[in-house]
Amino acid sequence: MASLEELMAKHGVEVTAQPNSSVRGKLLHQVNRMLAELSKYKTEKELNGASVKYWWSNKSNNGQRLVAMRYDNKVVANTSGYVDNTLSAVQERLEVFKKIIEDSTEDTWADEAERRKKK
């Protein structure tokens, strides 16, 4: 009688503890989550918060708000920039980020993946 491990291997099932998600895949998932969250807001005051779990800063600075790509609780290098402190400006930046991610390949994110491995 075959063991469970042998049957899994025979049928090509690889057992993993965590999903094997690429940087591009993670970013695409996150930007879609950010856009969905933002669609619930009515005013820019709702952008304020106590944490940095979103791609926008938790408070404005002189009428502007910092927006950056993030995944795994870290900012993606060279993606931070200020926009006007309005819902439409934040949404526009997120839409641009989404287009950039969609137009990218895994190779685009190789430097970011390597940067995170070093830490």
Side-chain angles (χ1 to χ4, degrees):
M1 179 176 266
S3 70
L4 178 58
E5 290 82 12
E6 291 169 333
L7 290 170
M8 296 287 274
K10 175 183 174 183
H11 293 283
V13 176
E14 183 180 331
V15 179
T16 57
Q18 295 180 345
N20 185 13
S21 186
S22 65
V23 174
R24 183 180 177 276
K26 289 177 184 180
L27 288 170
L28 195 54
H29 173 74
Q30 288 296 319
V31 75
N32 286 330
R33 283 188 57 235
M34 295 302 108
L35 288 166
E37 180 67 26
L38 198 61
S39 72
K40 300 174 190 174
Y41 295 177
K42 303 287 186 235
T43 70
E44 60 272 357
K45 287 183 181 179
E46 293 176 88
L47 295 168
N48 295 338
S51 71
V52 289
K53 64 181 179 178
Y54 301 120
W55 284 19
W56 52 88
S57 61
N58 56 0
K59 59 185 172 183
S60 67
N61 184 1
N62 294 324
Q64 295 186 319
R65 192 168 297 264
L66 187 65
V67 182
M69 292 183 195
R70 300 176 65 90
Y71 79 92
D72 292 343
N73 298 318
K74 296 177 186 171
V75 172
V76 175
N78 303 315
T79 63
S80 299
Y82 282 93
V83 298
D84 290 336
N85 185 37
T86 64
L87 286 176
S88 61
V90 172
Q91 181 173 1
E92 285 173 19
R93 178 61 56 94
L94 293 178
E95 292 288 352
V96 169
F97 281 166
K98 183 175 180 175
K99 288 177 187 175
I100 290 168
I101 297 163
E102 288 174 337
D103 288 348
S104 71
T105 65
E106 286 309 319
D107 290 341
T108 306
W109 307 105
D111 289 343
E112 181 65 21
E114 186 61 30
R115 182 178 78 91
R116 289 175 183 238
K117 284 181 186 176
K118 289 180 180 177
K119 296 197 175 205

